[in-house]
Amino acid sequence: MDKPKIATASLAGCFGCHMALLDIDDRILKLIALVDFDKSPVDDIKKFTGRCLVGLIEGGCSNEENVKVLRDFRKHCDILISVGDCAIMGGLPAMRNGIPLAECLNEAYCSGPSVYNPSGRVPNDPELPLILDRVYPLDEIVKIDYRLPGCPPPADTLWEALTALLGGKPLNLAYELVKYD
Ligand code: SF4
């Protein structure tokens, strides 16, 4: 019988939540026995190869490419999970939300203390994904089924959540597995 598939992505995140997943240590072997990884940086599969039971997303949406990837995950995954504080509420990247976008770009590319840019131009090649006016939590763009808080969520939390969902059980994490730091 075919194993269920899971997919993962990092949007405006730091890959720390993916590192937390790898932190399940040798349980990764049990996970591989239970599932196949589909589109994910873990196996470097770039496009969905079929329907996935679970999609794990770290990071919020900071540019149009993030939104495109997120909608693609919603389309292909039965259960979509916001993993970590960036996905749930924007996290550190959302610190720019209180500053006008033009001011952020000017600081990053023109007037920041470590910037050398004699042209004074902000990169605007059409190939670059458009930056959004602010960083959006995932659930402001698509329906999210579960949220695993933390920066990052502990490996044990990810393990318990995945094994419950893969076993068709409701997600009912013990109090000590739900962290907000
Ligand atoms: S929640 Fe923390 S660990 Fe996860 S992507 Fe954001 S900053 Fe990185």
Side-chain angles (χ1 to χ4, degrees), residues 12-17 58-59 83-87 91-93 150-153:
C14 75
F15 271 94
C17 291
E58 76 161 44
V83 180
D85 294 346
C86 294
L92 280 178
C151 182

Side-chain angles (χ1 to χ4, degrees), residues 34 53-54 79 81 146 159-173:
L34 290 173
L53 179 61
V54 178
I79 301 168
I81 306 179
Y146 295 102
W159 171 253
E160 288 298 324
L162 276 176
T163 48
L165 294 172
L166 293 170
K169 295 182 195 142
L171 198 50
N172 195 9
L173 293 171

Side-chain angles (χ1 to χ4, degrees), residues 39-58:
K39 177 182 164 76
S40 170
V42 171
D43 54 15
D44 212 22
I45 293 180
K46 310 279 191 208
K47 292 187 176 164
F48 282 101
T49 65
R51 187 98 202 131
C52 291
L53 179 61
V54 178
L56 303 170
I57 310 257
E58 76 161 44

